[in-house]
Amino acid sequence: MATIQWFPGHMAKARREVTEQLKKVDVVFELVDARIPYSSRNPMIDEVIQQKPRVVILNKKDMAKESEMSKWFAFFKEKGALSVAVDAKHGKGLKQVEAAAIEATKEKFAREKAKGLKPRAIRAMIVGIPNVGKSTLINKLANRSIAQTGNKPGVTKQQQWIKVGKSLQLLDTPGILWPKFEDQLIGKKLSLTGAIKDSIVHLDEVAIYGLNFLIEHDYDSLIKHYKVDVPRDAENLEWFDAIGRKRGLLQRGNEVDYEAVIELIINDIRNAKIGAYCFDLHDEMKDIQDDDE
Ligand code: G4P
C-alpha cells in the first residue's frame, strides 16, 4: 500500500511528468475505483489529459454495485469518454480494455491511414491516484509481474512497452496523480475504500460515514453481517456498542473498545465483506458534476 505525502512541489512535478509521458501515447486509461468513480479522480485530470482520447476504467468492480456503475458509464459517455469496468485483481473484464482503446483511437488511426502512414500498435498509459489498482492492472494485462506499487508521484524512469493483445502497447509504469483533498466527504470516501490510509480524515468519522451509508442503503445486510439487532434509527454509539460486544472487542472494565470497532467496520467495508457498494451515488452528485464543468 503506497503512502504518498503530496506537497505542492510534488503535485507540480507529477503533473509535469505525466504530461511529458502523455506525448508518447495515443490513448490514456484513466483508472478510478468503481466504488467512487467520481471521488477517486484526480481533480485536474481534464486539464492534464486535455483532448487526448481517453478510456475511463472503473477498477475493483468486484466490490462495486452494478446498477450504480451503469449510471457512471452514462455520465462518462456524456462527457465524451468511453468507460469500462474491470476487476484487475481477478483478471475480469480485461478484454474490454483493448477493445475500448481501439474504439477511442479509431478516428486518429483512420486519419493516419488516410495520410498513408503504416498501421501500428496503439500506445497507451494508465493514469490515476494511488491505490486504485494501477500496478495490479498493468501486471494482469502484461500477464506477468512488472509494475510495482510506486511510492513516488508522477512516473518513474526507464519505461518499456508491454504488448497487450493484438493491437495495444502499454507503458509499464503508470502516471500517479494526487487525489482530491479539499472536500471532507470525498476524504471519507477515499479512506473508506483504502485510497488513502494515512488519514486526513479522522477514522471515527470514516466509520460513522460508512455505518450510516449502510444503515440507509443496506440495513438488512448490516445487521445480518454483525448479527446484531439494532433499530435503524439508533444512535451511532448504540451500533458501536452492539457490534463491539458481539465481537468481544472489549477492554478493561468490560468497556467496548471503540477504536477496535472503528477499525473493524472500516476494514469490513474496505474489503467489501458486508456487500458491494458505490459510495458515489450518481443521482445525488449532479450538483458537484455541474460545478466541475
Ligand atoms: P496502485 O498501483 O494504483 O497504487 O494500486 P495497486 O495495484 O497497488 O492496488 C492497490 C490495492 O488494490 C491492492 O491491495 C490490490 O490488490 C487491490 N486491487 C487492485 N485491483 C483490484 C480489483 O480489481 N479488485 C480488488 N478487490 N482489489 C484490487 P492491497 O491490499 O494493497 O495489497 P494486496 O493485499 O492485494 O497485496
Side-chain angles (χ1 to χ4, degrees):
M1 176 66 63
T3 303
I4 302 176
Q5 293 290 331
W6 294 96
F7 298 109
H10 290 129
M11 286 153 67
K13 184 161 183 263
R15 183 177 174 176
R16 238 179 4 250
E17 286 180 354
V18 170
T19 303
E20 200 51 39
Q21 298 306 315
L22 283 174
K23 291 179 189 157
K24 299 182 188 169
V25 304
D26 305 298
V27 58
V28 189
F29 296 142
E30 182 194 350
L31 201 61
V32 297
D33 188 314
R35 295 167 293 177
I36 46 170
Y38 174 83
S39 301
S40 58
R41 306 181 86 189
N42 166 267
M44 292 181 82
I45 196 70
D46 289 345
E47 282 170 60
V48 175
I49 296 180
Q50 298 197 0
Q51 296 311 312
K52 182 88 57 187
R54 171 184 349 191
V55 175
V56 182
I57 302 180
L58 280 64
N59 187 34
K60 311 197 185 187
K61 73 169 176 136
D62 53 310
M63 300 199 282
K65 192 171 171 183
E66 196 121 9
S67 56
E68 245 340 285
M69 281 192 281
S70 307
K71 292 183 188 171
W72 287 106
F73 292 149
F75 166 81
F76 288 118
K77 191 170 177 192
E78 214 170 276
K79 300 231 166 205
L82 285 169
S83 55
V84 297
V86 303
D87 165 2
K89 188 167 183 169
H90 309 97
K92 301 263 166 68
L94 300 187
K95 289 223 168 74
Q96 298 172 88
V97 174
E98 186 187 0
I102 294 171
E103 179 65 26
T105 55
K106 204 165 61 183
E107 285 170 18
K108 179 175 181 176
F109 279 90
R111 280 196 304 273
E112 287 198 1
K113 194 175 172 195
K115 282 190 208 154
L117 294 172
K118 277 204 200 114
R120 59 176 179 86
I122 302 166
R123 292 191 206 108
M125 77 176 288
I126 292 177
V127 168
I129 67 166
N131 297 318
V132 288
K134 297 180 296 301
S135 316
T136 309
L137 181 60
I138 291 173
N139 289 337
K140 271 286 181 243
L141 288 173
N143 247 329
R144 60 202 149 103
S145 199
I146 292 174
Q148 290 176 357
T149 307
N151 55 4
K152 273 195 345 192
V155 280
T156 46
K157 310 289 171 247
Q158 288 178 339
Q159 296 166 325
Q160 287 179 359
W161 296 101
I162 303 161
K163 194 168 171 345
V164 178
K166 284 202 175 82
S167 47
L168 191 62
Q169 278 187 341
L170 180 67
L171 215 52
D172 68 351
T173 37
I176 306 171
L177 294 170
W178 62 96
K180 295 175 171 141
F181 306 112
E182 326 72 37
D183 184 304
Q184 282 282 310
L185 177 59
I186 289 179
K188 287 178 203 168
K189 292 177 179 180
L190 289 169
S191 178
L192 199 59
T193 53
I196 41 177
K197 281 219 162 165
D198 51 335
S199 197
I200 45 171
V201 190
H202 291 296
L203 289 182
D204 52 350
E205 287 178 28
V206 175
I208 288 170
Y209 165 74
L211 180 67
N212 286 303
F213 184 94
L214 291 189
I215 294 169
E216 189 181 341
H217 297 281
D218 200 10
Y219 173 79
D220 292 346
S221 302
L222 179 66
I223 52 169
K224 202 169 149 207
H225 179 82
Y226 289 115
K227 301 190 176 68
V228 292
D229 185 18
V230 182
R232 226 177 253 272
D233 57 359
E235 297 289 330
N236 293 319
L237 206 57
E238 200 176 320
W239 281 96
F240 284 180
D241 280 331
I243 294 169
R245 295 210 176 273
K246 193 77 195 180
R247 291 294 178 96
L249 300 173
L250 305 172
Q251 47 191 8
R252 260 183 298 143
N254 210 26
E255 295 287 321
V256 169
D257 180 349
Y258 291 116
E259 257 178 51
V261 176
I262 284 166
E263 203 181 307
L264 174 76
I265 293 173
I266 292 178
N267 279 330
D268 282 350
I269 298 177
R270 252 184 206 165
N271 299 315
K273 292 271 164 60
I274 306 167
Y277 308 105
C278 284
F279 302 100
D280 278 350
L281 296 169
H282 177 268
D283 296 347
E284 289 180 9
M285 295 183 77
K286 287 198 180 95
D287 298 342
I288 300 177
Q289 292 156 28
D290 290 338
D291 286 351
D292 235 24
E293 299 291 315

